[in-house]
Amino acid sequence: MKKILVVEDNLEVRENLCEILELSGYEVHAAENGKIGIEQANIVIPDLILCDVMMPVLDGFGVMKILN
């Protein structure tokens, strides 16, 4: 099963994305900011990361730079 990490600070958007992806058969992990997203990415090793750009703590560009 493919793993997807959703990094999104808006709770409603994050929950909706996760629900849609789970119903489509993906293993979904979620994080509410970039810092937690990086921690999750290192633990889970997802196949795909869906990441918001504008977030508190660490934005999407920072996440991309660190994980790259």
Side-chain angles (χ1 to χ4, degrees):
M1 180 181 303
K2 298 287 183 181
K3 294 182 258 182
I4 298 177
L5 173 61
V6 176
V7 184
E8 169 62 59
D9 60 324
N10 183 298
L11 177 63
E12 293 175 357
V13 173
R14 185 173 63 246
E15 287 179 345
N16 286 339
L17 275 172
C18 290
E19 183 177 353
I20 290 166
L21 292 168
E22 286 171 350
L23 290 172
S24 297
Y26 295 100
E27 179 182 331
V28 181
H29 301 271
E32 58 267 13
N33 64 51
K35 182 180 178 201
I36 296 171
I38 289 170
E39 293 169 0
Q40 287 288 323
N42 287 322
I43 294 167
V44 175
I45 315 295
D47 297 295
L48 176 68
I49 299 174
L50 297 176
C51 185
D52 189 7
V53 173
M54 296 177 64
M55 295 181 291
V57 184
L58 182 63
D59 67 6
F61 293 114
V63 170
M64 183 179 70
K65 184 175 181 179
I66 291 170
L67 291 177
N68 217 2

